[in-house]
Amino acid sequence: MGIRILIPCKPLNSGKTRLAGVLPEQERVALCASLLAQTIALAAGIAPTTVVTSDPAVADICRRHNAQVFAEPARADLNTALTAAYRDFSPCDAVLVLPIDLPLLTSATILRVCAEEDLMTIVPDRVQRGTNLMLLPRQFDRSFRFRYGIDSFGQHRAEAQRLGLSCRVCLFPDAAFDLDTPDDLAELNHRRSHAEMAQ
């Protein structure tokens, strides 16, 4: 009984396509690999970690960082893959769904979200449309449907309401920043440069 962390990861060569205008494919692959390794390292220091993927290259990174791999079902989309992995876990465990594209996320925020492991919790993005972190509590209704995609924050709250479940919403600046667009990448590089200069 405890917390499990579930990290979805699409094939490295198909990740962060919205950055194609500023990063060639090889650099996007390297960026995704770096984000994955950073996320696993952050998660693994807190709880047992499983990555759901169909990419052998992702599986290799997982093995090097001591994360378990759940083989994504053939032709599964993100929500189908997450459902399969989630239902493979013990119902006695709370599960935190953790994307790889939260480069500013800290362990302190993960621990604060997981501290209330009996409450469904969502941490949205900066515009409160996406779901950046989601904690599904122990003994949670296994008919819950993952709704990642357009307006997933609202969709996940509606899904909780459909099942008659309470949903806690938490706002954390480090978890609200997700890396999707060229503007996000420029902001991340600026923040990192500023942090290095401050040291």
Side-chain angles (χ1 to χ4, degrees):
M1 185 185 307
I3 299 283
R4 300 287 300 269
I5 296 179
L6 179 59
I7 300 174
C9 187
K10 62 175 61 176
L12 297 179
N13 61 8
S14 62
K16 296 301 155 197
T17 55
R18 294 167 69 184
L19 299 178
V22 294
L23 291 180
E25 181 178 344
Q26 186 174 0
E27 291 185 32
R28 294 199 311 274
V29 168
L31 173 63
C32 290
S34 175
L35 288 169
L36 173 62
Q38 176 183 328
T39 304
I40 292 174
L42 188 65
I46 295 172
T49 299
T50 298
V51 177
V52 56
T53 188
S54 62
D55 187 352
V58 170
D60 286 342
I61 293 172
C62 294
R63 281 189 284 271
R64 291 200 299 270
H65 291 83
N66 299 313
Q68 297 178 352
V69 176
F70 182 90
E72 185 176 300
R75 296 180 295 279
D77 62 14
L78 171 61
N79 293 313
T80 303
L82 281 171
T83 297
Y86 177 59
R87 291 179 177 171
D88 192 61
F89 290 159
S90 167
C92 294
D93 292 327
V95 176
L96 178 73
V97 182
L98 171 60
I100 70 168
D101 59 352
L102 307 178
L104 303 181
L105 183 65
T106 63
S107 58
T109 290
I110 294 178
L111 289 169
R112 288 178 69 183
V113 172
C114 292
E116 298 287 348
E117 59 187 68
D118 291 323
L119 290 174
M120 178 182 174
T121 302
I122 298 177
V123 180
D125 63 11
R126 289 181 286 183
V127 296
Q128 297 190 26
R129 295 196 64 196
T131 303
N132 281 7
L133 294 175
M134 184 162 62
L135 179 71
L136 303 180
R138 295 175 293 179
Q139 306 296 344
F140 195 60
D141 192 325
R142 269 352 199 215
S143 67
F144 177 84
R145 294 181 297 209
F146 290 97
R147 298 289 195 179
Y148 286 96
I150 296 174
D151 192 27
S152 66
F153 175 48
Q155 294 284 344
H156 283 136
R157 294 179 75 188
E159 180 66 7
Q161 186 176 31
R162 180 184 74 85
L163 296 172
L165 304 168
S166 60
C167 178
R168 180 178 67 141
V169 175
C170 297
L171 304 177
F172 296 106
D174 60 318
F177 180 87
D178 48 359
L179 177 57
D180 284 322
T181 68
D183 286 344
D184 296 334
L185 181 61
E187 181 177 346
L188 177 63
N189 289 336
H190 175 75
R191 288 187 183 211
R192 287 177 169 171
S193 176
H194 185 74
E196 290 173 0
M197 291 175 62
Q199 290 179 353

